[in-house]
Structures are given as C-alpha cells and as structure tokens.
Amino acid sequence: MKLPIFMDNHSTTPMDPRVLEAMLPYFVEKFGNSASRNHAFGWEAEEAVENARKQIARTIHADSKEIVFTSGATESDNLAIKGVVEMYHEKGDHIITSSTEHRAVLDTCKALESKRGVKVTYLPVDKAGMVKPEDVRNAITDKTILITIMMANNEIGTINPIKDIGKIAKEKGILFHCDATQGVGKIPVDVQDMGIDLMSFSAHKLYGPKGVGALYVRKKAPRVRIAAQMDGGGHERGMRSGTLPVPLIVGFGKAVELCEQEMPTESKRLSAMRDRLQTAITSKLEEVYLNGHSTQRLPNNLNLSFAYVEGESLLMGLKEIALSSGSACTSATLEPSYVLRALGVGSDLAHSSIRFGLGRFNTDEEVDYTAKRIIEVVTKLREMSPLYEMAKEGIDLKSVQWAAH
Ligand SMILES: *Cc1c(COP(=O)(O)O)cnc(C)c1O
C-alpha cells in the first residue's frame, strides 16, 4: 500500500490508464481540427469526436446529436440555466432549484437574480437531503420556465427522486435540467425514463480528463432551445462555439464507456468497501452520525460526523489520507457546509463532518488503514476535549453557563 491514500473521489478522480492510452494518439499524431471539413486530418479528428459522442449518448439513452461538449459541468450548468433564461424570457422569469445544489448551479441562479431580476425558489430538503417532488409541484407558477435539481449530491451522496420530478415537469410543460455530475458513470442514468430535458456532467468525475464535460440538450418532445453563451464559429450546433479539444473528448468517451461496462461490478465493490469502512469505524467509536440517506445514496459516498471533534483538526491529524471536511475555509471564518445545514445538522456536527469518497482505485487495504487511523485520531482528539469529558461524566452541555470572553 502506498501513501498518501486518495479517498476524495467526489472532488475529482484519477484518470484511468486505459483512458490515457485512448487519448495519446490525438495529441501529436492525429492532431487535426474536427471542424476542418476538407482534409484527412480534420476527418480523422471528426470521426474520433463523433465516436465519443456516440459512446456518451448511448450510456445516457440519448441521441448523439443531443450532446454538446463543454469545458466541464460548471460550464454546462451555466449554459443550461442562462441559456434557458435568455431563450424563454418571454414565457416567464421563474426558476425552481434546491438549497443543496452545487455552487455551479446556486451561483448561476444568484447571478441571474441580481443581474437579470430572475426569481428563484430554493426548495428545502428533508433530513436525508432529498428534494420532495410535491414541493417542486407546489412551487410551480405560471411564470416558471425551468426546474433545476441535481441527481446526486456531491457532499452527502443522496440521490434525488429524479424520475418523479421529471414527471411533474412534463405534466406542467416546464423544462427540467439536472446536474448529474455525481450520477453519470456511478448509477444508471436514462434521460428518457427520467424525463430530463437538459443534463450536465463532467469527465474528471468519472476517471476521465479534466477540462471537458457535456450538456445533454433534448432534441424532441420537446425540442429544447438554449441561447449560446459563447459566440464564435458555431460549433456544437451553434450552442457552444470553440475548437473541440479532441484528445479530451476521446478520453471522455472512453471513460464513460468503461464506467458503463464496469458499473454492475464496480458499484457492488464500492458499496461493499463503503459499508466495510462505516462498520469498522462505528463498531469502535461512539457518537458517529451518518449524514445523508442511508440507502438512496451513491455507492461510493460516506459522510460521517464525529461528535466533539473538529473535522479540520481530524484532517490535520490524517495528512496521509486525502479526505474532505464539511467546513469550508471562506476568507477568515470557517463556515460549516451549507449542504449539511440544509439537512438541519447543527453547526457543531456540521463542523465535525468528514466526506469519504471511494473510487475505482481504492483497495480494502486502504479502507482498513483509513478506518484504523480515523479511530486513532478521533480517540486522541476526544481525550483532549473538555466537552467530551463533561459529556462522558453525564453533564448536560446545554445546561452549562459558558463564561463570556
Ligand atoms: C464537480 C461538480 C461540478 C463541477 O464540475 P466541473 O467539471 O469541475 O466544472 C458541478 N456539479 C457537481 C454536482 C459536481 O460534483
């Protein structure tokens, strides 16, 4: 086993060597511009791009003409949301989203509120982090032009009832965008069955290269139109101009294909490792709480709060393992995760949370090592904690009068 261990696969994934192998010829040898229509170099590049487009479309049950390549999911989210707002402004100015979306969706909505006067409803989620379809239905007005709800959350792994939301959107004739960046490649995704009109995803979250992503744009029933956010040569059927990064797209296609082929075995292996990690930790430590849904969860996600322990201090003591804490250092203050706060997790437990993101290249040996080290460091930090000491002695911490500084 080699240190450090990478167990932060929701932030990015290592590229699969088979993906690199597929990409290599397209850097030097087959360097053509896929938009060059009148020579062999262009044709060769175009063929490679179209092949990748087919691989990706097939996996999500779309047509290859419905795939628009972008630089990643952030761009896809921006293009979908801003593109719909601009194209359908005469129909209405209201968007429905949820409070636990990725920043790429939330910040896009906030920018549209402040710069364009768009109205946005941020739906709450339940204790497990799920959006209730009935809340979506109740939020719809005659001005609603877009519903944007993520497939699976990047912090807690909770999977939303996308099919039910898609049904409501169809029934009401409203476009449905889904940020499926954590879903594609990890769980089965079918844009037809799920009633999705626009969908964002990204190669580097599924063992492909960084810097490429896609937006699925439905072509019929209904034919979705979006205003381009990038003007130029009219690539990608006018929706996203710019010379295509052929090697990255080839890698994206290969990565998606591998995920599809290996999903049945890989998701079983990952959820077994995840359960092994959770059991090892909770059998040795008390007051460990699971954040997110216990079953409707990504197979590779485990998000735990360790009471009386600061997540950041825990990570400081675990430098040889790459994990993520539920506190984000924003300027001078340590803000607890807005996702955990939206589930109703208190500020203390939100600050105590750790996200484990397992991936294709993690092993049982790494899982066992991680569990052992977590147990050691949490035990040590709790031994140094006066709050833990008091709680162990049976003192109700809520009854304590703290001296003001
Ligand atoms: C990582 C992520 C994004 C951003 O993707 P990039 O390709 O890095 O821009 C958006 N949404 C979710 C849910 C993500 O996990």
Side-chain angles (χ1 to χ4, degrees):
M1 192 183 68
K2 249 178 54 197
L3 295 177
I5 294 167
F6 184 73
M7 213 176 272
D8 195 20
N9 286 275
H10 298 295
S11 68
T12 192
T13 53
M15 212 164 70
D16 192 302
R18 293 169 290 181
V19 170
L20 177 64
E21 201 185 322
M23 290 167 68
L24 282 175
Y26 294 92
F27 283 103
V28 177
E29 200 184 315
K30 306 180 180 186
F31 61 85
N33 183 332
S34 58
S36 299
R37 287 284 153 77
N38 39 18
H39 55 66
F41 297 88
W43 302 330
E44 184 175 59
E46 193 194 9
E47 192 187 333
V49 166
E50 292 317 307
N51 182 39
R53 210 188 285 283
K54 280 198 196 98
Q55 288 170 315
I56 293 165
R58 195 185 314 126
T59 300
I60 62 167
H61 300 254
D63 186 274
S64 60
K65 291 197 184 70
E66 298 175 310
I67 303 296
V68 174
F69 287 116
T70 64
S71 63
T74 300
E75 187 189 336
S76 299
D77 287 341
N78 272 267
L79 175 57
I81 300 169
K82 290 175 181 166
V84 164
V85 164
E86 209 173 298
M87 187 58 81
Y88 296 89
H89 67 99
E90 278 169 7
K91 251 188 102 186
D93 61 356
H94 179 232
I95 299 176
I96 298 169
T97 188
S98 83
S99 50
T100 57
E101 296 295 312
H102 190 273
R103 292 278 303 273
V105 167
L106 288 180
D107 289 2
T108 300
C109 288
K110 295 220 173 88
L112 287 168
E113 274 181 306
S114 65
K115 291 185 199 145
R116 305 269 198 107
V118 169
K119 293 171 189 68
V120 183
T121 300
Y122 300 90
L123 295 176
V125 292
D126 67 14
K127 272 197 164 77
M130 232 188 242
V131 173
K132 288 194 216 60
E134 276 317 296
D135 286 350
V136 176
R137 186 191 294 280
N138 293 335
I140 294 172
T141 73
D142 55 4
K143 290 273 181 267
T144 309
I145 49 172
L146 182 69
I147 296 166
T148 172
I149 303 285
M150 74 200 317
M151 186 166 290
N153 186 272
N154 46 296
E155 286 189 33
I156 52 173
T158 297
I159 300 168
N160 272 319
I162 293 301
K163 188 173 172 174
D164 295 339
I165 296 168
K167 240 183 224 143
I168 293 168
K170 277 277 141 351
E171 204 183 296
K172 301 279 184 181
I174 295 165
L175 294 179
F176 178 29
H177 167 249
C178 181
D179 178 344
T181 312
Q182 297 288 340
V184 174
K186 315 294 167 58
I187 54 174
V189 173
D190 182 335
V191 292
Q192 307 308 339
D193 183 54
M194 292 172 159
I196 295 169
D197 298 312
L198 294 140
M199 186 171 81
S200 307
F201 50 111
S202 186
H204 78 98
K205 302 285 177 88
L206 44 85
Y207 313 100
K210 290 168 185 59
V212 66
L215 180 66
Y216 158 77
V217 184
R218 181 175 286 282
K219 245 181 94 96
K220 52 176 194 255
R223 181 185 181 86
V224 178
R225 293 164 64 226
I226 51 172
Q229 302 300 304
M230 186 82 80
D231 298 309
H235 307 74
E236 299 300 89
R237 296 173 38 246
M239 287 183 265
R240 205 282 193 177
S241 286
T243 298
L244 293 177
V246 179
L248 301 185
I249 289 171
V250 167
F252 191 9
K254 181 71 182 175
V256 166
E257 189 179 75
L258 290 172
C259 282
E260 190 189 10
Q261 285 164 1
E262 297 178 5
M263 194 187 296
T265 48
E266 185 159 294
S267 65
K268 273 203 206 82
R269 192 181 78 91
L270 288 174
S271 60
M273 276 203 300
R274 188 261 316 277
D275 295 346
R276 180 187 179 103
L277 180 62
Q278 184 174 358
T279 307
I281 291 171
T282 53
S283 66
K284 287 281 173 14
L285 291 175
E286 50 182 24
E287 294 208 57
V288 178
Y289 304 97
L290 176 73
N291 298 310
H293 203 285
S294 59
T295 56
Q296 287 298 103
R297 190 157 47 124
L298 290 172
N300 63 331
N301 176 276
L302 181 63
N303 190 310
L304 297 174
S305 282
F306 299 89
Y308 311 106
V309 170
E310 286 268 347
E312 289 290 305
S313 319
L314 182 48
L315 294 191
M316 215 77 93
L318 282 172
K319 290 226 172 75
E320 79 279 30
I321 309 170
L323 297 165
S324 172
S325 88
S327 312
C329 259
T330 54
S331 62
T333 59
L334 208 54
E335 290 285 334
S337 141
Y338 65 87
V339 173
L340 295 180
R341 297 309 304 272
L343 314 193
V345 175
S347 159
D348 286 353
L349 281 179
H351 275 305
S352 303
S353 74
I354 297 290
R355 177 184 70 182
F356 302 86
L358 291 163
R360 183 175 291 167
F361 303 106
N362 287 124
T363 62
D364 280 340
E365 199 186 4
E366 290 177 336
V367 164
D368 294 345
Y369 178 85
T370 301
K372 182 184 100 181
R373 292 286 294 131
I374 286 273
I375 294 161
E376 280 169 12
V377 180
V378 168
T379 304
K380 196 180 95 207
L381 289 172
R382 282 181 176 174
E383 275 165 4
M384 300 183 333
S385 156
L387 288 180
Y388 184 65
E389 193 83 347
M390 288 164 77
K392 289 286 275 187
E393 284 165 12
I395 298 167
D396 180 5
L397 294 178
K398 288 189 196 75
S399 72
V400 177
Q401 298 277 314
W402 304 103
H405 289 287

